[in-house]
Coordinates of all heavy atoms in Angstrom, one line a residue:
M1 N -3.4 -8.4 -51.2 CA -2.4 -8.8 -50.2 C -2.4 -7.9 -49.0 O -2.3 -8.3 -47.9 CB -1.0 -8.8 -50.9 CG 0.1 -9.1 -50.0 SD 0.2 -10.9 -49.7 CE 1.7 -11.0 -48.9
Y2 N -2.4 -6.6 -49.3 CA -2.4 -5.5 -48.2 C -3.6 -5.7 -47.3 O -3.5 -5.6 -46.0 CB -2.5 -4.2 -48.8 CG -2.7 -3.0 -47.9 CD1 -1.6 -2.6 -47.0 CD2 -3.9 -2.4 -47.7 CE1 -1.8 -1.6 -46.1 CE2 -4.0 -1.3 -46.8 CZ -3.0 -1.0 -46.0 OH -3.2 0.0 -45.1
Q3 N -4.8 -6.0 -47.8 CA -6.0 -6.2 -47.0 C -5.9 -7.4 -46.1 O -6.3 -7.4 -45.0 CB -7.2 -6.3 -47.9 CG -7.5 -5.0 -48.6 CD -8.7 -5.1 -49.6 OE1 -9.1 -6.2 -50.0 NE2 -9.2 -4.0 -50.1
V4 N -5.3 -8.5 -46.6 CA -5.1 -9.7 -45.8 C -4.2 -9.5 -44.7 O -4.5 -9.8 -43.5 CB -4.6 -10.9 -46.7 CG1 -4.3 -12.1 -45.9 CG2 -5.6 -11.2 -47.8
V5 N -3.1 -8.8 -44.9 CA -2.1 -8.5 -43.8 C -2.8 -7.6 -42.8 O -2.6 -7.8 -41.6 CB -0.8 -7.8 -44.4 CG1 0.1 -7.3 -43.3 CG2 -0.1 -8.8 -45.3
R6 N -3.5 -6.6 -43.3 CA -4.2 -5.6 -42.4 C -5.2 -6.4 -41.5 O -5.3 -6.1 -40.3 CB -4.8 -4.5 -43.2 CG -5.4 -3.4 -42.4 CD -5.9 -2.3 -43.2 NE -6.5 -1.3 -42.4 CZ -7.2 -0.3 -42.8 NH1 -7.3 -0.1 -44.1 NH2 -7.7 0.6 -42.0
A7 N -6.0 -7.3 -42.1 CA -7.0 -8.0 -41.4 C -6.3 -8.9 -40.3 O -6.8 -9.0 -39.2 CB -7.8 -8.8 -42.3
R8 N -5.2 -9.5 -40.7 CA -4.5 -10.4 -39.7 C -3.9 -9.6 -38.5 O -4.0 -10.0 -37.4 CB -3.4 -11.2 -40.4 CG -4.0 -12.3 -41.2 CD -2.9 -13.2 -41.8 NE -3.4 -14.2 -42.6 CZ -2.7 -15.1 -43.3 NH1 -1.4 -15.0 -43.3 NH2 -3.3 -16.0 -44.0
L9 N -3.3 -8.4 -38.9 CA -2.8 -7.5 -37.8 C -3.9 -7.1 -36.9 O -3.8 -7.0 -35.7 CB -2.1 -6.4 -38.4 CG -0.7 -6.6 -38.9 CD1 -0.1 -5.4 -39.6 CD2 0.3 -7.1 -37.8
R10 N -5.0 -6.7 -37.5 CA -6.2 -6.2 -36.6 C -6.7 -7.3 -35.7 O -6.9 -7.1 -34.5 CB -7.3 -5.7 -37.5 CG -8.5 -5.2 -36.7 CD -9.6 -4.7 -37.6 NE -9.1 -3.6 -38.4 CZ -9.6 -3.3 -39.6 NH1 -10.5 -4.1 -40.2 NH2 -9.1 -2.3 -40.3
A11 N -6.7 -8.6 -36.2 CA -7.1 -9.7 -35.4 C -6.2 -10.0 -34.3 O -6.5 -10.2 -33.1 CB -7.3 -10.9 -36.3
L12 N -4.9 -9.8 -34.6 CA -3.9 -10.0 -33.5 C -4.0 -9.0 -32.4 O -3.9 -9.3 -31.2 CB -2.5 -10.0 -34.1 CG -2.0 -11.3 -34.9 CD1 -0.7 -11.0 -35.5 CD2 -1.9 -12.4 -33.9
V13 N -4.1 -7.7 -32.9 CA -4.2 -6.6 -31.9 C -5.4 -6.7 -31.0 O -5.4 -6.6 -29.8 CB -4.1 -5.2 -32.6 CG1 -4.5 -4.1 -31.7 CG2 -2.8 -5.0 -33.2
C14 N -6.6 -7.0 -31.7 CA -7.8 -7.1 -30.9 C -7.8 -8.3 -30.0 O -8.3 -8.3 -28.9 CB -9.0 -7.2 -31.9 SG -9.3 -5.6 -32.7
G15 N -7.2 -9.4 -30.5 CA -7.1 -10.6 -29.7 C -6.2 -10.4 -28.5 O -6.5 -10.9 -27.4
A16 N -5.1 -9.7 -28.7 CA -4.2 -9.5 -27.6 C -4.9 -8.6 -26.5 O -4.7 -8.8 -25.3 CB -2.9 -8.8 -28.1
G17 N -5.6 -7.6 -27.0 CA -6.3 -6.7 -26.0 C -7.4 -7.5 -25.2 O -7.5 -7.3 -24.0
T18 N -8.1 -8.3 -25.9 CA -9.1 -9.1 -25.2 C -8.5 -10.1 -24.2 O -8.9 -10.3 -23.1 CB -9.9 -10.0 -26.3 OG1 -10.5 -9.0 -27.2 CG2 -11.0 -10.8 -25.6
A19 N -7.3 -10.7 -24.6 CA -6.6 -11.6 -23.7 C -6.1 -10.9 -22.5 O -6.2 -11.4 -21.4 CB -5.5 -12.3 -24.5
L20 N -5.6 -9.7 -22.7 CA -5.1 -8.9 -21.5 C -6.2 -8.5 -20.6 O -6.1 -8.6 -19.4 CB -4.4 -7.6 -22.0 CG -3.0 -7.9 -22.7 CD1 -2.4 -6.6 -23.2 CD2 -2.0 -8.5 -21.7
R21 N -7.4 -8.1 -21.2 CA -8.5 -7.7 -20.3 C -9.0 -8.9 -19.6 O -9.3 -8.9 -18.4 CB -9.6 -7.1 -21.2 CG -9.4 -5.7 -21.4 CD -10.6 -5.0 -22.1 NE -10.1 -4.7 -23.5 CZ -10.6 -5.2 -24.6 NH1 -11.5 -6.1 -24.6 NH2 -10.1 -4.9 -25.8
R22 N -9.1 -10.1 -20.2 CA -9.5 -11.3 -19.6 C -8.6 -11.7 -18.4 O -9.0 -12.1 -17.4 CB -9.6 -12.4 -20.6 CG -10.3 -13.7 -20.1 CD -10.4 -14.8 -21.1 NE -11.1 -14.4 -22.3 CZ -10.6 -14.5 -23.5 NH1 -9.4 -15.1 -23.7 NH2 -11.2 -14.1 -24.6
R23 N -7.3 -11.6 -18.7 CA -6.3 -11.9 -17.7 C -6.4 -11.0 -16.5 O -6.3 -11.4 -15.3 CB -4.9 -11.9 -18.2 CG -3.9 -12.4 -17.3 CD -2.5 -12.5 -17.9 NE -2.5 -13.5 -19.0 CZ -1.7 -13.4 -20.1 NH1 -0.9 -12.5 -20.2 NH2 -1.8 -14.4 -21.0
A24 N -6.6 -9.7 -16.8 CA -6.8 -8.7 -15.7 C -8.0 -9.0 -14.8 O -8.0 -8.9 -13.6 CB -6.8 -7.3 -16.3
L25 N -9.1 -9.3 -15.5 CA -10.3 -9.7 -14.7 C -10.2 -10.9 -13.9 O -10.6 -11.0 -12.8 CB -11.5 -9.8 -15.7 CG -12.0 -8.5 -16.3 CD1 -13.1 -8.8 -17.3 CD2 -12.5 -7.6 -15.3
Q26 N -9.5 -11.9 -14.4 CA -9.2 -13.1 -13.6 C -8.4 -12.8 -12.4 O -8.6 -13.3 -11.3 CB -8.6 -14.2 -14.5 CG -9.5 -14.8 -15.5 CD -8.8 -15.7 -16.4 OE1 -7.5 -15.8 -16.5 NE2 -9.5 -16.5 -17.2
G27 N -7.4 -11.9 -12.6 CA -6.5 -11.5 -11.5 C -7.3 -10.8 -10.4 O -7.1 -11.0 -9.2
L28 N -8.3 -10.0 -10.8 CA -9.1 -9.3 -9.8 C -10.0 -10.3 -9.1 O -10.2 -10.1 -7.9 CB -10.0 -8.2 -10.5 CG -9.3 -7.0 -11.0 CD1 -10.2 -6.1 -11.8 CD2 -8.6 -6.2 -9.9
R29 N -10.5 -11.3 -9.7 CA -11.3 -12.2 -9.1 C -10.6 -13.1 -8.1 O -11.1 -13.4 -7.0 CB -12.0 -13.1 -10.1 CG -13.1 -12.4 -10.9 CD -13.8 -13.4 -11.8 NE -14.4 -12.7 -12.9 CZ -14.2 -13.0 -14.1 NH1 -13.4 -14.0 -14.5 NH2 -14.8 -12.2 -15.1
R30 N -9.3 -13.4 -8.4 CA -8.5 -14.2 -7.5 C -8.1 -13.5 -6.2 O -8.1 -14.1 -5.2 CB -7.2 -14.7 -8.2 CG -7.4 -16.1 -8.8 CD -6.1 -16.6 -9.3 NE -5.8 -15.9 -10.6 CZ -4.7 -15.3 -10.9 NH1 -3.7 -15.3 -10.1 NH2 -4.5 -14.7 -12.1
D31 N -7.8 -12.2 -6.3 CA -7.3 -11.4 -5.2 C -8.2 -10.2 -5.0 O -7.8 -9.1 -5.3 CB -5.8 -11.1 -5.4 CG -5.2 -10.5 -4.2 OD1 -5.7 -10.7 -3.1 OD2 -4.2 -9.8 -4.3
A32 N -9.4 -10.4 -4.5 CA -10.3 -9.3 -4.4 C -10.1 -8.4 -3.2 O -10.5 -7.3 -3.1 CB -11.8 -9.9 -4.4
G33 N -9.4 -8.9 -2.2 CA -9.2 -8.1 -1.0 C -8.7 -9.0 0.2 O -8.4 -10.2 0.0
M34 N -8.6 -8.3 1.3 CA -8.1 -9.1 2.5 C -9.3 -9.9 3.1 O -10.4 -9.4 3.1 CB -7.6 -8.1 3.5 CG -6.3 -7.4 3.1 SD -5.3 -6.6 4.4 CE -6.5 -5.9 5.5
V35 N -8.9 -11.0 3.8 CA -9.9 -11.7 4.5 C -9.9 -11.4 5.9 O -9.0 -10.6 6.4 CB -9.6 -13.3 4.3 CG1 -9.8 -13.7 2.9 CG2 -8.3 -13.6 4.8
T36 N -10.8 -11.9 6.7 CA -10.9 -11.5 8.1 C -9.7 -11.8 8.9 O -9.3 -11.0 9.8 CB -12.1 -12.2 8.7 OG1 -13.3 -11.9 7.9 CG2 -12.4 -11.7 10.1
S37 N -9.0 -12.9 8.6 CA -7.8 -13.2 9.4 C -6.7 -12.2 9.1 O -5.9 -11.9 10.0 CB -7.4 -14.6 9.1 OG -7.1 -14.7 7.7
E38 N -6.6 -11.7 7.9 CA -5.6 -10.7 7.6 C -5.9 -9.4 8.3 O -5.0 -8.7 8.8 CB -5.5 -10.5 6.1 CG -4.9 -11.7 5.4 CD -5.0 -11.5 3.9 OE1 -5.9 -10.8 3.4 OE2 -4.2 -12.1 3.2
Y39 N -7.2 -9.0 8.4 CA -7.5 -7.8 9.2 C -7.2 -8.0 10.7 O -6.6 -7.1 11.3 CB -9.0 -7.5 9.1 CG -9.4 -6.8 7.8 CD1 -10.3 -7.5 6.9 CD2 -9.0 -5.6 7.5 CE1 -10.7 -6.8 5.7 CE2 -9.4 -4.9 6.4 CZ -10.2 -5.6 5.5 OH -10.6 -4.9 4.3
A40 N -7.5 -9.2 11.2 CA -7.2 -9.5 12.6 C -5.7 -9.4 12.9 O -5.2 -8.8 13.9 CB -7.7 -10.8 13.0
M41 N -4.9 -10.0 12.0 CA -3.4 -9.9 12.1 C -2.9 -8.5 12.0 O -2.0 -8.1 12.8 CB -2.7 -10.8 11.1 CG -2.9 -12.3 11.3 SD -2.4 -12.8 12.9 CE -0.7 -12.6 12.8
G42 N -3.5 -7.7 11.2 CA -3.1 -6.3 11.1 C -3.4 -5.5 12.3 O -2.6 -4.7 12.8
I43 N -4.6 -5.8 12.9 CA -5.0 -5.1 14.1 C -4.1 -5.5 15.3 O -3.6 -4.7 16.1 CB -6.5 -5.4 14.5 CG1 -7.4 -4.7 13.5 CG2 -6.8 -4.9 15.9 CD1 -8.8 -5.1 13.5
V44 N -3.8 -6.8 15.4 CA -2.8 -7.3 16.4 C -1.5 -6.6 16.3 O -0.9 -6.2 17.3 CB -2.7 -8.8 16.4 CG1 -1.6 -9.3 17.3 CG2 -4.1 -9.4 16.8
A45 N -1.0 -6.5 15.1 CA 0.3 -5.9 14.9 C 0.3 -4.4 15.2 O 1.2 -3.9 15.8 CB 0.7 -6.1 13.4
A46 N -0.8 -3.7 14.9 CA -0.9 -2.3 15.2 C -1.0 -2.1 16.7 O -0.3 -1.1 17.2 CB -2.1 -1.7 14.5
V47 N -1.7 -2.9 17.4 CA -1.8 -2.8 18.9 C -0.4 -3.1 19.5 O 0.0 -2.4 20.4 CB -2.9 -3.7 19.4 CG1 -2.8 -3.8 20.9 CG2 -4.3 -3.2 19.0
A48 N 0.3 -4.1 19.0 CA 1.6 -4.4 19.6 C 2.6 -3.3 19.4 O 3.3 -2.9 20.3 CB 2.1 -5.7 18.9
F49 N 2.5 -2.7 18.2 CA 3.4 -1.5 17.9 C 3.0 -0.3 18.8 O 3.9 0.3 19.3 CB 3.3 -1.1 16.4 CG 4.2 0.0 16.1 CD1 5.5 -0.1 16.0 CD2 3.6 1.3 15.8 CE1 6.3 0.9 15.6 CE2 4.4 2.4 15.5 CZ 5.8 2.2 15.4
A50 N 1.7 -0.1 19.0 CA 1.3 1.0 19.9 C 1.8 0.7 21.4 O 2.2 1.7 22.0 CB -0.2 1.1 19.9
V51 N 1.7 -0.5 21.8 CA 2.2 -0.8 23.2 C 3.7 -0.6 23.3 O 4.1 0.0 24.3 CB 1.8 -2.3 23.6 CG1 2.5 -2.7 24.8 CG2 0.3 -2.4 23.7
V52 N 4.4 -1.0 22.3 CA 5.9 -0.8 22.4 C 6.2 0.7 22.4 O 7.1 1.2 23.1 CB 6.6 -1.6 21.2 CG1 8.0 -1.2 21.1 CG2 6.5 -3.1 21.4
L53 N 5.6 1.4 21.5 CA 5.8 2.9 21.4 C 5.4 3.5 22.7 O 6.2 4.4 23.2 CB 5.0 3.4 20.2 CG 5.2 4.9 19.9 CD1 6.7 5.1 19.5 CD2 4.3 5.4 18.8
Y54 N 4.3 3.2 23.3 CA 3.9 3.7 24.6 C 5.0 3.5 25.7 O 5.3 4.4 26.5 CB 2.6 3.2 25.0 CG 2.1 3.7 26.4 CD1 1.6 4.9 26.5 CD2 2.2 2.8 27.5 CE1 1.2 5.4 27.8 CE2 1.8 3.3 28.7 CZ 1.3 4.6 28.9 OH 0.9 5.0 30.1
K55 N 5.5 2.2 25.7 CA 6.5 1.9 26.7 C 7.8 2.7 26.5 O 8.4 3.1 27.5 CB 6.8 0.4 26.7 CG 5.7 -0.5 27.2 CD 5.5 -0.3 28.7 CE 4.5 -1.3 29.2 NZ 4.3 -1.1 30.6
V56 N 8.2 2.9 25.3 CA 9.4 3.7 25.0 C 9.2 5.1 25.4 O 10.1 5.7 26.0 CB 9.8 3.5 23.5 CG1 10.8 4.5 23.1 CG2 10.2 2.1 23.2
V57 N 8.1 5.7 25.0 CA 7.8 7.1 25.3 C 7.7 7.4 26.8 O 8.1 8.4 27.3 CB 6.6 7.6 24.5 CG1 6.2 9.0 24.9 CG2 6.9 7.6 23.0
T58 N 7.1 6.4 27.5 CA 6.9 6.7 29.0 C 8.1 6.2 29.8 O 8.0 6.2 31.0 CB 5.6 6.0 29.4 OG1 5.7 4.6 29.1 CG2 4.4 6.6 28.8
S59 N 9.1 5.7 29.2 CA 10.3 5.3 30.0 C 11.0 6.5 30.6 O 10.8 7.6 30.1 CB 11.3 4.5 29.1 OG 11.9 5.3 28.2
G60 N 11.8 6.2 31.6 CA 12.4 7.3 32.3 C 13.3 8.2 31.5 O 13.2 9.4 31.5
A61 N 14.2 7.6 30.7 CA 15.1 8.4 29.9 C 14.4 9.2 28.8 O 14.8 10.4 28.7 CB 16.1 7.4 29.2
V62 N 13.5 8.6 28.1 CA 12.8 9.4 27.1 C 11.9 10.5 27.7 O 11.9 11.6 27.2 CB 12.0 8.4 26.2 CG1 11.1 9.2 25.2 CG2 12.9 7.4 25.5
S63 N 11.3 10.2 28.8 CA 10.5 11.2 29.5 C 11.3 12.4 29.9 O 10.9 13.5 29.8 CB 9.7 10.5 30.7 OG 8.9 11.5 31.3
A64 N 12.4 12.1 30.5 CA 13.3 13.2 31.0 C 13.8 14.0 29.8 O 13.9 15.2 29.9 CB 14.5 12.6 31.8
E65 N 14.1 13.4 28.7 CA 14.6 14.1 27.5 C 13.5 15.0 26.9 O 13.8 16.1 26.6 CB 15.1 13.1 26.5 CG 15.9 13.7 25.4 CD 17.1 14.5 25.8 OE1 17.8 14.0 26.7 OE2 17.4 15.5 25.2
L66 N 12.3 14.4 26.9 CA 11.2 15.2 26.4 C 10.9 16.4 27.3 O 10.6 17.5 26.8 CB 9.9 14.3 26.2 CG 9.9 13.3 25.1 CD1 8.7 12.4 25.2 CD2 10.0 14.0 23.7
Q67 N 11.0 16.2 28.6 CA 10.8 17.3 29.5 C 11.9 18.4 29.3 O 11.6 19.6 29.4 CB 10.8 16.8 31.0 CG 9.5 16.1 31.3 CD 9.5 15.6 32.7 OE1 10.5 15.7 33.5 NE2 8.4 14.9 33.2
G68 N 13.1 17.9 29.1 CA 14.2 18.9 28.9 C 14.0 19.7 27.6 O 14.2 20.9 27.6
I69 N 13.5 19.0 26.6 CA 13.2 19.7 25.3 C 12.1 20.8 25.5 O 12.2 21.9 25.0 CB 12.8 18.7 24.2 CG1 14.0 17.9 23.8 CG2 12.2 19.5 23.0 CD1 13.7 16.7 22.9
V70 N 11.0 20.4 26.2 CA 9.9 21.3 26.4 C 10.4 22.5 27.3 O 10.1 23.7 27.0 CB 8.7 20.6 27.1 CG1 7.7 21.6 27.5 CG2 8.1 19.6 26.1
K71 N 11.2 22.2 28.3 CA 11.7 23.2 29.2 C 12.6 24.2 28.5 O 12.5 25.4 28.6 CB 12.5 22.6 30.4 CG 12.9 23.6 31.5 CD 13.6 22.9 32.6 CE 12.5 22.5 33.6 NZ 13.0 22.0 34.9
R72 N 13.5 23.7 27.6 CA 14.4 24.6 26.8 C 13.5 25.4 25.8 O 13.8 26.6 25.6 CB 15.4 23.8 26.0 CG 16.5 23.3 26.9 CD 17.7 22.8 26.0 NE 17.3 21.7 25.2 CZ 17.4 20.4 25.5 NH1 17.9 20.0 26.6 NH2 17.0 19.5 24.6
A73 N 12.5 24.9 25.3 CA 11.6 25.6 24.4 C 10.9 26.7 25.1 O 10.7 27.8 24.5 CB 10.7 24.6 23.7
L74 N 10.4 26.5 26.3 CA 9.7 27.5 27.0 C 10.6 28.6 27.6 O 10.2 29.7 27.7 CB 8.9 26.8 28.2 CG 7.7 25.9 27.7 CD1 7.1 25.3 28.9 CD2 6.7 26.7 26.9
D75 N 11.9 28.2 27.8 CA 12.8 29.2 28.4 C 13.5 30.0 27.3 O 14.2 31.0 27.6 CB 13.9 28.5 29.2 CG 13.3 28.0 30.5 OD1 12.2 28.4 30.9 OD2 13.9 27.0 31.1
A76 N 13.3 29.7 26.0 CA 13.9 30.4 24.9 C 13.4 31.8 24.8 O 12.3 32.1 25.1 CB 13.7 29.7 23.6
R77 N 14.4 32.7 24.5 CA 14.0 34.1 24.4 C 13.5 34.4 22.9 O 14.0 33.9 22.0 CB 15.2 35.0 24.6 CG 15.6 35.0 26.1 CD 16.6 36.1 26.3 NE 16.8 36.1 27.8 CZ 17.5 37.1 28.3 NH1 18.0 38.1 27.6 NH2 17.7 37.0 29.6
M78 N 12.5 35.2 22.9 CA 11.9 35.5 21.6 C 12.5 36.8 21.1 O 12.7 37.8 21.6 CB 10.4 35.7 21.7 CG 9.7 34.4 22.0 SD 9.4 33.5 20.6 CE 8.7 32.0 21.2

Protein backbone atom coordinates (compact mmCIF):
# COMPACT_ATOMS: atom_id res chain seq x y z
CA MET A 1 0.00 0.00 0.00
CA TYR A 2 2.78 2.45 0.97
CA GLN A 3 4.60 1.87 -2.32
CA VAL A 4 1.45 2.49 -4.37
CA VAL A 5 0.73 5.79 -2.57
CA ARG A 6 4.35 6.84 -2.90
CA ALA A 7 4.36 6.04 -6.65
CA ARG A 8 1.14 8.02 -7.20
CA LEU A 9 2.46 11.02 -5.26
CA ARG A 10 5.70 10.94 -7.26
CA ALA A 11 3.72 10.85 -10.52
CA LEU A 12 1.61 13.81 -9.40
CA VAL A 13 4.63 15.88 -8.36
CA CYS A 14 6.60 15.09 -11.52
CA GLY A 15 3.56 15.67 -13.68
CA ALA A 16 2.85 19.03 -12.04
CA GLY A 17 6.46 20.13 -12.54
CA THR A 18 6.37 19.13 -16.18
CA ALA A 19 3.06 20.93 -16.70
CA LEU A 20 4.42 24.11 -15.08
CA ARG A 21 7.56 24.03 -17.21
CA ARG A 22 5.50 23.44 -20.36
CA ARG A 23 3.18 26.34 -19.48
CA ALA A 24 6.17 28.62 -18.79
CA LEU A 25 7.75 27.77 -22.14
CA GLN A 26 4.50 28.43 -23.95
CA GLY A 27 4.27 31.81 -22.22
CA LEU A 28 7.78 32.68 -23.40
CA ARG A 29 6.93 31.77 -26.96
CA ARG A 30 3.77 33.88 -26.96
CA ASP A 31 5.40 37.06 -25.61
CA ALA A 32 9.01 36.95 -26.72
CA GLY A 33 9.55 40.72 -26.86
CA MET A 34 8.51 44.02 -28.30
CA VAL A 35 7.72 44.41 -31.96
CA THR A 36 8.94 47.25 -34.16
CA SER A 37 5.76 49.28 -33.73
CA GLU A 38 6.16 49.20 -29.94
CA TYR A 39 9.76 50.43 -30.26
CA ALA A 40 8.58 53.22 -32.55
CA MET A 41 5.86 54.29 -30.11
CA GLY A 42 8.39 54.26 -27.27
CA ILE A 43 10.78 56.47 -29.24
CA VAL A 44 7.98 58.90 -30.17
CA ALA A 45 6.91 59.12 -26.52
CA ALA A 46 10.50 59.72 -25.36
CA VAL A 47 11.03 62.47 -27.94
CA ALA A 48 7.73 64.13 -27.01
CA PHE A 49 8.70 64.06 -23.33
CA ALA A 50 12.12 65.53 -24.15
CA VAL A 51 10.52 68.37 -26.15
CA VAL A 52 8.11 69.21 -23.32
CA LEU A 53 10.93 69.12 -20.76
CA TYR A 54 13.10 71.36 -22.96
CA LYS A 55 10.27 73.88 -23.35
CA VAL A 56 9.67 73.97 -19.59
CA VAL A 57 13.35 74.36 -18.70
CA THR A 58 13.94 77.10 -21.29
CA SER A 59 10.83 79.08 -20.33
CA GLY A 60 11.37 82.51 -18.79
CA ALA A 61 10.22 81.73 -15.25
CA VAL A 62 12.19 78.51 -14.89
CA SER A 63 15.27 80.03 -16.51
CA ALA A 64 15.19 82.99 -14.12
CA GLU A 65 14.75 80.70 -11.12
CA LEU A 66 17.65 78.50 -12.20
CA GLN A 67 19.86 81.57 -12.70
CA GLY A 68 18.89 82.77 -9.21
CA ILE A 69 19.81 79.40 -7.69
CA VAL A 70 23.20 79.40 -9.44
CA LYS A 71 23.83 83.02 -8.44
CA ARG A 72 23.02 82.29 -4.76
CA ALA A 73 25.24 79.22 -4.85
CA LEU A 74 28.19 81.18 -6.26
CA ASP A 75 27.73 84.05 -3.80
CA ALA A 76 27.62 81.75 -0.76
CA ARG A 77 30.43 82.10 1.73
CA MET A 78 32.53 79.11 2.48
